[in-house]
Amino acid sequence: MASRREVYFVFMNYDPEYERLKSNRTKKGTQELDLYLCKKHDELLENTLEPGSYNKTMSLVIVDGFAVEMTDHQANLLRSAKDVRVVEKNQELA
């Protein structure tokens, strides 16, 4: 029984390294923050979900979060991950 994948937004708990990097407004600081978050978000997904069963669509630098296409079951797995604050399904507005 394969569940349908939908887009979810995942927001992370407070991270002092994220806050430190975010405060560096230089071009180099922005690049370091982008790389840090991309790696952090990818590692969370790789350590929590089955490889190839999801699709991360973007990292959200302004809030330390990311968007990912996954199933309801996978969303529940991420909700219980240590560094995750909230997982919300994307709501389409009519």
Side-chain angles (χ1 to χ4, degrees):
M1 178 181 123
S3 295
R4 198 173 75 130
R5 290 199 310 189
E6 297 185 74
V7 175
Y8 288 82
F9 290 99
V10 179
F11 301 99
M12 307 300 289
N13 285 326
Y14 175 78
D15 176 357
E17 181 65 6
Y18 163 74
E19 295 298 332
R20 185 189 71 76
L21 289 169
K22 191 170 96 170
S23 69
N24 184 351
R25 301 264 183 207
T26 66
K27 184 172 181 165
K28 183 175 186 258
T30 300
Q31 291 170 340
E32 286 178 356
L33 178 60
D34 287 345
L35 289 171
Y36 173 76
L37 287 182
C38 190
K39 182 174 188 267
K40 174 181 159 179
H41 299 158
D42 288 348
E43 285 176 356
L44 172 70
L45 289 166
E46 290 166 5
N47 292 330
T48 309
L49 305 178
E50 188 72 28
S53 67
Y54 60 87
N55 178 36
K56 185 181 93 173
T57 58
M58 73 176 98
S59 283
L60 307 166
V61 174
I62 198 160
V63 293
D64 189 5
F66 58 94
V68 59
E69 294 173 355
M70 62 184 169
T71 65
D72 286 337
H73 175 71
Q74 290 172 313
N76 287 331
L77 290 173
L78 273 181
R79 282 184 182 102
S80 63
K82 176 180 172 260
D83 294 322
V84 172
R85 180 169 42 96
V86 69
V87 177
E88 288 291 332
K89 188 185 295 187
N90 183 35
Q91 300 296 319
E92 295 289 329
L93 299 177

